[in-house]
Every structure is written in structure tokens, then in C-alpha cells.
Amino acid sequence: MDTRVSSVERQAKADPPKGAARAAERRGDEVPVDQGDRGAGDGHRDTSGVAVAPRPRGRWRGRLHTTLDLIRANPTGRITLKIFVAVVGAVVVTVGIALIPLPGPGWLIVIGGLGIWALEFIWARRLLTFTRRNVQSWTRWVMRQSLAARLLLGAVGLVFVAVVLWLSLKYSLGVDVVARVLHYLATH
């Protein structure tokens, strides 16, 4: 029996595939990391070269990422996942866009669809980060304003929603709510 081990076998034993290593890390298993490859010890390197600890994930998020990594490990699974995420994200974004003129969570549904797209598409992840950053800065700005200014902003928002609702009902369903209310007030 030949006791020599080929260099390919040695490399395979020393270096597990990156997808398997990522999945094992997400499960919480300890994976040996090459210092030159990932960073210092058990941490990761950020863009400045400083070692940082990996961000802990919740139990269900870890399972989701592990499942997605297993699907992405297969070329057919990777393509199927991209198509599935693209279609589901498009449906959710389309429904959200349709609901924007109506009072309700139209923008929230659009952002949810963007979050679905962000699972597979880098451009969606960047757009979601941009949106989150701007919403947070808007919220901080509003909270720094006086109570009177916040009430005025709220009133302007309510008037805007009311006008959009009125126009939506008038032009999509042919119901002029303002004319009906004025007619009711004039006759009673």
C-alpha cells in the first residue's frame, strides 16, 4: 500500500472549500483560518486592515444563511435561487408600488421587497443601506425639531395622504368624495 499522500489530497485536507468553511462558521463550528487569507485569529479584517470580531447572528438568521450557502454551493441551486429571489422581490415591490398612493404601508412593502432582493443582489443591498441611512437621518432631524415643527410636519403629511387618497378614488374609481361631502352638507 502506498503511504505517500498526493499534494492535491494534502491541500484538500488543509484547505476546506470556502463555501463549506463559511457554512461551518455560521453553524458555530470552529474552522481553522489561514492568517494571510481572512485576518487575525478568529476575527475578520475590515477594509482598513483592522481585525474585528464577526457579528453575531440570531438563531434563525444563522440557519437562513447556512441554508442559502448550501443552495449556492450547487450551480443549479445558485441560478434557481437568483431567479426565485428576483421574481419574489419583483412581486413584492410591484405590490408595494401599487399601494403607495393609498394610505397604508406601501413604502414599507417596497423596502421589504428591496430587502428580499438584497439577499442575492449587491445593488439592492447598497440601495437598502442608502435608504436606511437616509430614513435614519430624516428621523434624527425631525426629532431635533420643536414640538410645533413636528406637529406641522405631521399635519403636512396627513394633508398629503388625504389628497393622494382623494385623487386615487376620483380618478381610479370615479368617486369624488369631496363633491359628495359638500353635496351632503348643502342638503342637510
Side-chain angles (χ1 to χ4, degrees), residues 8 16 34 48 56 73 80 84 99 105 110 117 119 129 137 147-148 158:
V8 173
D34 181 20
S48 65
T80 304
F84 179 75
L99 293 177
V110 170
W117 276 338
L119 288 172
T129 302
S137 68
L147 180 61
L158 285 174

Side-chain angles (χ1 to χ4, degrees), residues 25 31 33-35 37-46 50-55:
E25 282 179 341
V31 177
V33 179
D34 181 20
Q35 289 287 343
D37 211 19
R38 287 278 307 273
D42 61 347
H44 303 278
R45 288 191 184 272
D46 66 0
V50 178
V52 293
R55 195 174 85 181

Side-chain angles (χ1 to χ4, degrees), residues 11 18 36 56 58 61 75 86-87 91 120 133 135 144 152-153 155-156 171:
Q11 180 67 21
K18 290 185 179 185
R61 286 185 82 183
V87 169
V91 168
E120 281 298 309
R133 186 174 49 242
V135 167
R144 285 193 310 260
L152 179 65
L153 285 170
V156 167
Y171 291 111

Side-chain angles (χ1 to χ4, degrees), residues 155-173:
V156 167
L158 285 174
V159 167
F160 175 75
V161 168
V163 168
V164 168
L165 178 62
W166 170 62
L167 290 172
S168 296
L169 289 173
K170 182 176 179 179
Y171 291 111
S172 64
L173 299 177

Side-chain angles (χ1 to χ4, degrees), residues 8-184:
V8 173
E9 289 174 350
R10 250 194 322 266
Q11 180 67 21
K13 288 181 182 178
D15 243 359
K18 290 185 179 185
R22 273 186 280 153
E25 282 179 341
R26 290 200 173 107
R27 282 193 307 268
D29 298 340
E30 194 167 322
V31 177
V33 179
D34 181 20
Q35 289 287 343
D37 211 19
R38 287 278 307 273
D42 61 347
H44 303 278
R45 288 191 184 272
D46 66 0
T47 56
S48 65
V50 178
V52 293
R55 195 174 85 181
R57 289 200 170 107
R59 185 178 211 142
W60 69 271
R61 286 185 82 183
R63 287 183 182 171
L64 174 68
H65 284 281
T66 301
T67 303
L68 291 177
D69 281 342
L70 289 173
I71 293 170
R72 289 180 187 123
N74 181 348
T76 305
R78 185 174 31 250
I79 292 170
T80 304
L81 181 65
K82 271 199 183 292
I83 292 170
F84 179 75
V85 166
V87 169
V88 170
V91 168
V92 172
V93 167
T94 303
V95 168
I97 289 173
L99 293 177
I100 286 174
L102 302 174
W107 282 110
L108 190 61
I109 292 173
V110 170
I111 291 172
L114 196 58
I116 292 171
W117 276 338
L119 288 172
E120 281 298 309
F121 302 106
I122 293 173
W123 62 266
R125 197 171 306 138
R126 288 180 183 153
L127 185 58
L128 192 61
T129 302
F130 171 79
T131 303
R132 184 179 301 135
R133 186 174 49 242
N134 284 320
V135 167
Q136 288 172 348
S137 68
W138 166 258
T139 304
R140 282 193 303 270
W141 180 82
V142 168
M143 296 310 286
R144 285 193 310 260
Q145 304 308 310
S146 67
L147 180 61
R150 284 187 279 170
L151 289 173
L152 179 65
L153 285 170
V156 167
L158 285 174
V159 167
F160 175 75
V161 168
V163 168
V164 168
L165 178 62
W166 170 62
L167 290 172
S168 296
L169 289 173
K170 182 176 179 179
Y171 291 111
S172 64
L173 299 177
V175 177
D176 192 357
V177 177
V178 174
R180 286 187 181 203
V181 168
L182 290 175
H183 177 64
Y184 177 79

